[in-house]
Amino acid sequence: KFKIFSQVGLGLQLLSPPRSLKFFVNSVSNFTGLGFSVSSLVVNPLAWLNELERTIGRVVVTELECSDINVANKGTAKVFLKSTQDIRDELDDFVLNREHRLNKVKCKLESNEYSGVFELRGNGTVRISKLPENIFFPLLRETLEIVFALEN
């Protein structure tokens, strides 16, 4: 299932996509007669969250997943931090200014209007639970475009 939108250029939102998009991309390419490719998106989930918080207000970060943490130039580590309270400040203490990649941020939103959980990933994917898709997805898409433009 997918939606096509055109806010800045032409976009495609895939809902519950399969692990591999090759069949889908080939089918769309054959159907439209247009050649196109899909490339990987890389974005900092915390930068994305910061941009999103400008619109929805402060959220509680309950989970963080990091990888490629440099360990004494001998290897890398992966870590998963989880808490019932906001854990984003503890990330810097934990990785000790080592180079790392933030893969996932899981957040809890509690406001007068909405209550639910969402997850932002470094590849631009999102998972939401108990939040209105018709309101939340456009906000996620808009803030992702802003952050992606700033980072690239």
Side-chain angles (χ1 to χ4, degrees):
K1 190 173 176 183
F2 64 92
K3 293 180 182 178
I4 297 174
F5 59 93
S6 61
Q7 293 170 339
V8 177
L10 185 61
L12 187 66
Q13 176 183 343
L14 301 176
L15 305 171
S16 300
R19 278 194 159 297
S20 173
L21 296 176
K22 185 176 182 178
F23 177 76
F24 177 77
V25 170
N26 288 339
S27 297
V28 171
S29 181
N30 289 337
F31 178 71
T32 62
L34 301 172
F36 66 94
S37 64
V38 176
S39 60
S40 297
L41 179 69
V42 178
V43 65
N44 179 337
L46 273 181
W48 189 5
L49 176 62
N50 291 338
E51 189 64 37
L52 185 62
E53 283 182 318
R54 292 178 192 228
T55 305
I56 65 172
R58 185 93 168 154
V59 301
V60 177
V61 176
T62 58
E63 295 178 16
L64 293 168
E65 179 185 296
C66 290
S67 64
D68 298 335
I69 303 169
N70 188 355
V71 181
N73 293 325
K74 296 179 182 176
T76 59
K78 184 175 184 178
V79 67
F80 180 76
L81 305 173
K82 185 175 181 176
S83 177
T84 56
Q85 300 176 1
D86 198 302
I87 199 163
R88 69 183 105 185
D89 292 337
E90 282 70 26
L91 176 64
D92 290 335
D93 295 337
F94 197 82
V95 297
L96 300 172
N97 295 322
R98 293 184 181 124
E99 193 172 313
H100 64 280
R101 181 178 66 208
L102 185 59
N103 301 321
K104 177 178 81 170
V105 176
K106 189 170 185 179
C107 307
K108 186 173 160 184
L109 173 62
E110 303 255 349
S111 71
N112 294 335
E113 300 171 44
Y114 313 113
S115 179
V117 175
F118 64 96
E119 181 180 290
L120 306 176
R121 292 185 173 260
N123 63 1
T125 59
V126 175
R127 291 185 183 186
I128 65 172
S129 176
K130 300 179 183 174
L131 292 167
E133 292 178 11
N134 61 329
I135 294 171
F136 212 61
F137 274 138
L139 290 173
L140 289 164
R141 206 172 28 244
E142 180 182 313
T143 53
L144 176 61
E145 288 176 3
I146 292 168
V147 172
F148 186 71
L150 291 172
E151 290 183 355
N152 293 297

